[in-house]
Amino acid sequence: MSLLQSKTALGAAILCNLLAMALAPSAFASSHREAPFITQNPKVDATDFYMFRSYEAGRGAYTTLVADYVPLQDAYGGPNYFTMDPQALYEIHIDNNGDGKEDLTFQFRFTNTIKDAQFTVGGKKVSIPLAINGGAIDTVNPAGLNVRETYSVTVVRGDRRSGTRSAVTNATGGGTSFDKPVDNIGNKSIPNYAAYAAQHVYAVNIPGCATPARMFVGQRKDPFVVNLGETFDLINIKAPATEFAANAESATKDDLAKKNVTAIEMEVPTSCLTAGADPVIGGWTTASLRQGRLLNPAPGTTTTASKEGGAWVQVSRLGMPLVNELVIGLKDKDRFNASKPSGDAQFADYVTNPTAPALVEVLFGSAGAKAPTNFPRNDLVATFLTGIKGVNQPTTVTASEMLRLNTSIAATAVGAQNRLGVIGGDNAGFPNGRRPGDDVVDVVLRVAMGKLCTLNIGCAPADAPAGGLHFTDGAYLDEKVFTPGFPYLATPIAGSPQM
């Protein structure tokens, strides 16, 4: 084995140990079950957030926002499947002036309506126990669907609680209520799920935007890839010895390969997201629950199982991937989920003096895996808190964690995207925003071990002895597994594949 191969294999082994030691046992991916409290509330658990210049042909003037929720969905998980929480508030926030506060927020609220389909059995009408009533589901709100899930969207300009509020409306015929497709129950109930879901892509009018946007909310194949099962099994992994080759897909070990998520997606005219001459925007997603909950000891046909009330309390937050997993300490994970970017000074030590590289050095320092020596870690401050100067740093910036996108950088066309984004020479990719095909696990691990130092960003090459190692978890990801246009994420796995 050559020295390069040895170093790459070492990098993969280091990654596995890093994940095993640095991740809480409940963490499953980019932000799946990442904090103690959120494990109790999967319907409001944000799993991934994406923000990128649309690369679908003819859509270069748009920016796509994707917030994924409800982790680890087994396709066969009936009979109730994975509806969103009607008692929750789901939000996507945009900061377009660099102050760490939202200037534009899209708020999503959901409603579930049980149609109470009944069969006549022995002369009596009896309510059926399932979400479907029989017959193919092939159109919006078909008669055979027993549970109808709808949602409304409000755009808030200014503070998300006290700003100016307006309803997002259907560009075809008006209206403020939108149908969400039922999950992919199986091929007998929904013979052509891709065509059925496509009917739920809406052209919408956002007040204050001259051009209609597009919107979709529904189940998708989980876009994240990660190898965790073998990591937790005492690092029982066969890691790639060299950088991925053309047949890299055959080496992939993805523990989310059979899982779905629920995606909230908007494709918005970029001009509606930016402000003034600064093309850089920041974005993140949150979910909130009511402060109080009273359980009903005897729910009935006209009463619910619980009653929620009081102020909204934020319980989930996600901007940059892997922050709450690999950066924030266990004792502060719930605190981070409840916080705002403008208050991130309280978490600064986790970025300027990170523990993950130190753990790697403890484990493998004698073999050359030395942690970067520059403190504070200004390279990580640039990556997570301010944006990288000349790439995605706004004109005026307040240090705060969020995903930042320079909308003046043109999208890289389908087939030409580099899975490593900026460190792979593709400035249209992560951490300049995030596309579905960006392999953020590999990128974040390489950056944590000093990759940016080798590029003289925030530090010098001499500060990062291991900055050139090809760290990887062995789970390959690139753009080829996604569709070339909105809603980009792949069709969800069917609960029953039989025809």
Side-chain angles (χ1 to χ4, degrees):
M1 179 180 287
S2 69
L3 178 61
L4 174 60
Q5 290 174 322
S6 298
K7 285 184 175 181
T8 309
L10 171 64
I14 290 171
L15 165 65
C16 295
N17 284 277
L18 168 62
L19 287 174
M21 296 186 67
L23 291 179
S26 61
F28 278 86
S30 175
S31 192
H32 301 51
R33 294 170 52 85
E34 79 287 348
F37 179 77
I38 204 64
T39 63
Q40 305 172 43
N41 297 274
K43 285 180 180 281
V44 288
D45 184 358
T47 66
D48 285 286
F49 181 65
Y50 302 87
M51 182 170 65
F52 55 93
R53 282 282 302 273
S54 297
Y55 50 86
E56 178 181 350
R59 305 293 290 186
Y62 293 81
T63 293
T64 296
L65 312 169
V66 180
D68 290 341
Y69 280 86
V70 195
L72 304 174
Q73 296 181 17
D74 290 317
Y76 50 81
N80 290 305
Y81 295 96
F82 302 97
T83 58
M84 301 293 271
D85 187 350
Q87 304 299 332
L89 175 66
Y90 301 86
E91 298 176 293
I92 296 176
H93 311 275
I94 300 295
D95 170 19
N96 57 25
N97 60 12
D99 64 355
K101 301 177 182 179
E102 67 272 9
D103 299 294
L104 193 68
T105 297
F106 298 100
Q107 297 182 332
F108 291 76
R109 295 293 310 275
F110 290 84
T111 300
N112 299 331
T113 303
I114 298 176
K115 298 180 181 179
D116 193 27
Q118 299 178 338
F119 283 168
T120 300
V121 182
K124 293 185 177 181
K125 287 188 175 295
V126 182
S127 300
I128 69 170
L130 303 177
I132 55 172
N133 185 24
I137 296 175
D138 56 6
T139 188
V140 175
N141 189 29
L145 188 63
N146 194 25
V147 177
R148 183 184 187 186
E149 189 172 12
T150 59
Y151 62 97
S152 61
V153 187
T154 300
V155 59
V156 184
R157 299 186 182 276
D159 183 89
R160 59 175 167 167
R161 298 292 183 255
S162 59
T164 302
R165 305 169 60 85
S166 305
V168 173
T169 59
N170 195 328
T172 304
T176 59
S177 180
F178 304 89
D179 276 87
K180 171 180 171 288
V182 69
D183 294 343
N184 197 355
I185 297 167
N187 293 333
K188 186 175 182 179
S189 298
I190 313 174
N192 187 340
Y193 192 88
Y196 163 67
Q199 297 177 58
H200 296 79
V201 174
Y202 295 97
V204 297
N205 291 322
I206 301 173
C209 299
T211 307
R214 288 195 292 187
M215 185 169 66
F216 171 82
V217 177
Q219 191 180 54
R220 298 280 91 186
K221 165 69 182 67
D222 194 322
F224 199 74
V225 300
V226 68
N227 181 359
L228 282 180
E230 292 177 343
T231 298
F232 291 136
D233 184 22
L234 299 177
I235 324 304
N236 182 21
I237 183 175
K238 294 181 180 179
T242 60
E243 186 62 80
F244 289 109
N247 62 347
E249 293 86 343
S250 63
T252 296
K253 172 64 168 63
D254 175 18
D255 288 322
L256 300 179
K258 300 296 183 182
K259 303 294 184 180
N260 294 325
V261 294
T262 299
I264 298 173
E265 306 197 29
M266 299 191 77
E267 187 188 53
V268 183
T270 301
S271 60
C272 290
L273 300 176
T274 57
D278 194 343
V280 176
I281 58 175
W284 68 100
T285 184
T286 63
S288 301
L289 295 172
R290 292 295 188 183
Q291 192 171 30
R293 172 177 291 178
L294 181 65
L295 298 182
N296 187 347
T301 57
T302 60
T303 58
T304 58
S306 64
K307 179 69 174 179
E308 283 76 14
W312 289 113
V313 177
Q314 182 180 303
V315 296
S316 180
R317 169 188 168 187
L318 177 58
M320 291 283 286
L322 299 168
V323 168
N324 213 355
E325 290 75 13
L326 289 178
V327 179
I328 304 299
L330 179 61
K331 71 181 181 67
D332 285 327
K333 289 183 181 295
D334 287 332
R335 180 187 295 273
F336 179 83
N337 270 347
S339 66
K340 298 180 179 181
S342 58
D344 281 346
Q346 64 185 309
F347 306 115
D349 288 349
Y350 289 123
V351 179
T352 59
N353 299 72
T355 59
L359 285 171
V360 172
E361 181 168 331
V362 168
L363 290 169
F364 294 100
S366 61
K370 301 288 187 180
T373 58
N374 55 306
F375 296 104
R377 287 290 302 275
N378 290 324
D379 54 328
L380 298 187
V381 170
T383 302
F384 293 108
L385 300 181
T386 65
I388 299 171
K389 190 173 182 178
V391 179
N392 65 337
Q393 187 178 104
T395 303
T396 302
V397 60
T398 298
S400 50
E401 187 278 309
M402 63 182 70
L403 195 62
R404 289 182 171 86
L405 173 68
N406 186 341
T407 62
S408 69
I409 296 177
T412 301
V414 173
Q417 297 177 14
N418 188 301
R419 71 184 189 89
L420 299 177
V422 173
I423 67 171
D426 183 358
N427 281 353
F430 182 79
N432 181 32
R434 180 186 177 190
R435 302 167 301 198
D438 291 335
D439 198 338
V440 296
V441 172
D442 285 8
V443 174
V444 167
L445 286 163
R446 296 182 196 195
V447 169
M449 291 305 294
K451 176 62 179 178
L452 294 186
C453 297
T454 69
L455 304 176
N456 291 294
I457 298 175
C459 44
D463 295 325
L469 290 182
H470 292 165
F471 292 88
T472 178
D473 67 338
Y476 185 85
L477 176 68
D478 69 8
E479 61 175 307
K480 291 192 292 293
V481 298
F482 302 99
T483 63
F486 191 83
Y488 292 101
L489 306 189
T491 298
I493 297 167
S496 169
Q498 291 80 14
M499 292 301 294

